[in-house]
Amino acid sequence: MTDVPLSTDQLRLSYGRSIIIPGLDLQVPGGRITSVIGPNGSGKSTLLRALARLLPVESGQIQLYGQALHALPSREVARRLAILPQGPTAPEGLTVEELVWFGRHPHQGPFSVRRPEDREAVQWALDQTGMRVFAARPLEALSGGQRLRAWIAMSLAQQTDILLLDEPTTYLDLSHQLEVLHLAQRLNREQGKTVVMVLHDLNQAVRYSDEIIAMKSGEVYAQGEAGEVLTQALLRDVFGLKAHLLQDPDTGRPHVIPYALTR
């Protein structure tokens, strides 16, 4: 089994006649937090959906631990890879615990018999996200940040090595954004999970990631260590920004202060 959990080879993705990703070669490092950044329309979320097999591949290939992703049984994929998509929805009245139980479906046998190990996984996921106290509460009765943590708990209940988060901080206030980012960091540091996030906030991406992938027009413009990828040239070429790059006093990494557009 390869150390690279996810990789692509000449991956081509389209929506109808619109080519979003023309031919992407990419390797996602294992055991790290990787953030995918780029302007709107650069292919970030499209890539993440394809990595989770939520989007058909037009040509090329995605590999999960060296095996062709689309050739693997769905249950096997769901045991190794979990995704939190943008704006997930659930039926009205569904409680937090009921939602989290859906994460156990890939592991359950015939007739979805609930085994002791399934119950332990559900309680562990609720504890990891701080949602045990809300277990009996309907999702619609929660705040935005609490609902997001409930969905993350469902993903954790799958007990996968890989967690994909598509814009997990969107529409959250700053404190809830930090809750989600700290949770992702803890899952990586303590559980060894490979985390791949699509983020819009460049400073959060640099601060909470080990690796950055910067995309432009469906291609990788740059990939590397979080403290090294962000440069004046990248900000100009990818985002059309002029910015000051200061040093974060806590991490020593770049902190972006944009002040003008280049176009």
Side-chain angles (χ1 to χ4, degrees):
M1 183 181 291
T2 176
D3 296 349
V4 178
L6 284 167
S7 62
T8 69
D9 180 17
Q10 285 300 293
L11 179 66
R12 180 183 174 97
L13 301 171
S14 302
Y15 285 117
R17 296 183 178 179
S18 299
I19 299 171
I20 308 300
I21 293 179
L24 185 67
D25 293 328
L26 178 69
Q27 290 191 337
V28 175
R32 310 191 87 198
I33 299 177
T34 299
S35 284
V36 185
I37 62 173
N40 290 339
S42 61
K44 305 183 300 298
S45 292
T46 300
L47 172 62
L48 211 69
R49 293 187 68 223
L51 293 177
R53 213 164 69 171
L54 299 180
L55 189 68
V57 171
E58 185 173 325
S59 63
Q61 192 176 80
I62 301 172
Q63 292 188 325
L64 176 63
Y65 289 109
Q67 297 178 286
L69 178 67
H70 283 74
L72 293 172
S74 296
R75 185 176 289 263
E76 182 176 347
V77 173
R79 287 173 176 172
R80 304 171 81 175
L81 183 153
I83 183 170
L84 178 65
Q86 291 184 45
T89 58
E92 187 174 352
L94 196 72
T95 68
V96 170
E97 186 169 5
E98 289 169 340
L99 174 70
V100 177
W101 267 104
F102 280 108
R104 295 306 300 166
H105 284 185
H107 301 275
Q108 292 174 330
F111 312 112
S112 298
V113 175
R114 294 185 173 185
R115 304 162 301 171
E117 53 263 44
D118 296 320
R119 297 184 185 280
E120 289 176 9
V122 167
Q123 294 306 312
W124 174 82
L126 289 169
D127 287 339
Q128 289 295 311
T129 53
M131 294 302 291
R132 186 190 282 258
V133 67
F134 302 109
R137 193 170 298 185
L139 291 174
E140 59 266 24
L142 303 177
S143 70
Q146 291 165 345
R147 278 197 300 273
L148 186 60
R149 282 189 286 149
W151 282 99
I152 293 176
M154 186 196 73
S155 300
L156 293 185
Q158 285 182 235
Q159 293 187 319
T160 62
D161 297 328
I162 305 168
L163 181 61
L164 308 180
L165 303 174
D166 192 1
E167 299 188 25
T169 58
T170 302
Y171 306 124
L172 298 182
D173 61 38
L174 188 55
S175 62
H176 287 123
Q177 290 177 32
L178 294 183
E179 277 185 13
V180 170
L181 293 169
H182 287 163
L183 174 60
Q185 201 170 57
R186 193 175 79 247
L187 292 170
N188 169 259
R189 304 297 188 256
E190 297 178 5
Q191 307 294 333
K193 291 186 182 293
T194 296
V195 180
V196 185
M197 304 187 289
V198 170
L199 290 179
H200 280 293
D201 189 307
L202 299 181
N203 291 320
Q204 289 182 349
V206 171
R207 185 179 183 91
Y208 290 98
S209 306
D210 304 305
E211 184 105 353
I212 296 286
I213 297 172
M215 295 189 66
K216 178 184 180 182
S217 302
E219 299 179 349
V220 173
Y221 175 92
Q223 178 176 357
E225 294 291 330
E228 300 173 1
V229 165
L230 239 58
T231 63
Q232 297 282 4
L234 182 145
L235 294 170
R236 179 191 65 234
D237 296 344
V238 175
F239 295 97
L241 290 176
K242 294 180 180 179
H244 299 294
L245 286 178
L246 307 181
Q247 187 179 64
D248 187 309
D250 293 326
T251 65
R253 296 177 176 181
H255 183 86
V256 181
I257 302 180
Y259 63 88
L261 301 174
T262 61
R263 53 183 182 273

